[in-house]
Amino acid sequence: MKVLLLGVTGNVGSRMLPALLAHKHQVVGYVRSPAKIAPEAKSKLDSIVVGSASDSAAIKAAILSHNCDAVVNAAGLASMTGWSSQGEFPAIFAAVVQAILDAGRERGGAPIRCWLMSGFGIMDSLKRPYLLLDYLPLFPIHKRNYQLIKSQPTDALAWSLFCANAMSPKHETPQFPPSADTSANNLVVKADTPPAWVEKYRKVPLIGNYLNVLAQAQGYAAVLENCVDVIAADLEKGLESEWIGKRVAVKEKSKVN
Ligand SMILES: NC(=O)c1ccc[n+]([C@@H]2O[C@H](COP(=O)([O-])OP(=O)(O)OC[C@H]3O[C@@H](n4cnc5c(N)ncnc54)[C@H](OP(=O)(O)O)[C@@H]3O)[C@@H](O)[C@H]2O)c1
C-alpha cells in the first residue's frame, strides 16, 4: 500500500517507517519539522510533505496528491492527565479523521484504511459498559477521540485504533530493516478487551474493579518495534483486515501465563 505516515520524527513514527518498508509499503512522510528526519529515513521515504498535523485540508491534499491508500497517525502526544492542558493532540486527531473522510469522499470508491495511535484505557473492562479508563483515568483524551471515531461508518473510514500501554524501544535507533528479534509474532493481539485479561478481585466490594485494572495494566507494556510491526503487517491485508472498526491491544507473549 502507499501509506501517508504522520509523526515520522517521533518515537513511534520513526520505528513505524522501517516496519512499513519491511512489509513492502511505500511511505510518504508528513512532518512539520523536515530537518528532524534522520538521513537514513529521509533516503527511504517515497516523498515528504511538510505541514501541520492539525491542518485537515493539508493532510487531505497530501493523501490525494500522493494517491495514498492508507494513513498511519503517530503525530501528537496525549497528556497523561485531564488536569493539564490537552495541548494540540485532540485537534490533531480530529483533523486527521476529517482529512481521511474528506479524501475518501472526494476520491470516491473504497474507504481509506487507517491506523491511529490511541491508548490502552479505551479498551473495555470486563464490567460493561465501563472502559479501563473509567477505573484508571490516565490519558483521558483517548476516550473523546474514540467517541469521535466510533461514530464513523467503516465504509466511509476504515479505521483501527492501536491501544497500546507504554511502548519501549528495544533498539535505541530505528533499524533498517527491523532486527530479527522484533516482530508482531512476539505479541498476542486482540480487539475490544485486552488479550489475556483476567477477572481478579471480583469479590472485593466497591474497589474490586479498580484493583483489577491497577494490578494488570502494567503487564501490558510492550516492545515498540513489535507493536509497529502489527500495524505494518496488517496493512498488507488492506480492507480485508479483521481489525477494521476495532480498538486493538497487545500483550507480549512472554508475559502471558
Ligand atoms: N510512546 C508510547 O509509549 C505510547 C503509548 C501509547 C500511545 N502512544 C501514542 O502514540 C503517539 C506517538 O507517540 P510518540 O511517543 O511517538 O510521541 P513523540 O515521540 O512525542 O512524537 C510525536 C510526533 O508527533 C509530531 N507532531 C506533534 N505535533 C505535530 C503537528 N502539529 N504537526 C505535525 N507533526 C506533529 C512530532 O513532530 P516534531 O518532531 O516536529 O515535534 C513527532 O514526530 C501519541 O499519540 C501517543 O499518545 C504512545
Side-chain angles (χ1 to χ4, degrees), residues 7-13 30-33 36 51-54 73-78 88-89 92 117-120 139 142 162 164-168 224:
V8 74
T9 56
N11 211 14
V12 175
Y30 185 98
V31 291
R32 64 174 171 186
S33 333
K36 284 170 76 175
S52 170
S54 57
N73 183 44
L77 194 58
E88 210 187 351
F89 188 57
I92 289 176
M117 298 308 297
S118 185
F120 188 64
F139 303 100
H142 293 306
F162 195 79
N165 201 329
M167 296 180 284
S168 305
L224 176 47

Side-chain angles (χ1 to χ4, degrees), residues 28 30-31 62-63 70 89 102-103 106 109 142 157-158 164 171-172 191 199 207:
V28 177
Y30 185 98
V31 291
I63 296 169
F89 188 57
D102 292 346
E106 202 163 309
H142 293 306
L157 183 74
H171 299 279
E172 203 174 317
E199 197 168 347
I207 59 166

Side-chain angles (χ1 to χ4, degrees), residues 33 146 253:
S33 333
Y146 169 47
K253 282 182 183 165

Side-chain angles (χ1 to χ4, degrees), residues 234-252:
D234 178 69
L235 285 175
E236 287 191 46
K237 298 181 188 149
L239 296 174
E240 301 300 311
S241 165
E242 69 199 286
W243 307 124
I244 291 175
K246 306 274 186 198
R247 294 154 290 158
V248 178
V250 298
K251 188 168 192 177
E252 294 286 336

Side-chain angles (χ1 to χ4, degrees), residues 17-167:
L17 174 60
L20 290 169
L21 296 171
H23 286 273
K24 312 282 181 239
H25 302 295
Q26 282 174 278
V27 185
V28 177
Y30 185 98
V31 291
R32 64 174 171 186
S33 333
K36 284 170 76 175
I37 308 176
E40 188 165 22
K42 196 173 259 176
S43 69
K44 295 196 164 19
L45 285 164
D46 194 72
S47 21
I48 296 169
V49 179
V50 179
S52 170
S54 57
D55 184 343
S56 188
I59 302 166
K60 181 185 100 172
I63 296 169
L64 292 174
S65 63
H66 289 274
N67 212 13
C68 297
D69 334 273
V71 175
V72 174
N73 183 44
L77 194 58
S79 299
M80 189 186 274
T81 66
W83 307 299
S84 59
S85 153
Q86 290 297 325
E88 210 187 351
F89 188 57
I92 289 176
F93 190 92
V96 173
V97 167
Q98 195 59 52
I100 303 169
L101 268 172
D102 292 346
R105 279 196 199 110
E106 202 163 309
R107 183 188 288 160
I112 292 170
R113 179 77 181 103
C114 63
W115 274 95
L116 305 165
M117 298 308 297
S118 185
F120 188 64
I122 62 159
M123 299 303 285
D124 286 333
S125 75
L126 293 184
K127 188 169 191 280
R128 303 291 195 285
Y130 298 105
L131 305 179
L132 300 185
L133 214 154
D134 294 320
Y135 298 106
L136 187 61
L138 297 178
F139 303 100
I141 191 60
H142 293 306
K143 188 171 178 179
R144 207 171 92 191
N145 290 343
Y146 169 47
Q147 278 157 353
L148 174 81
I149 206 163
K150 80 174 178 184
S151 61
Q152 306 298 337
T154 50
D155 58 0
L157 183 74
W159 62 270
S160 301
L161 295 181
F162 195 79
C163 301
N165 201 329
M167 296 180 284

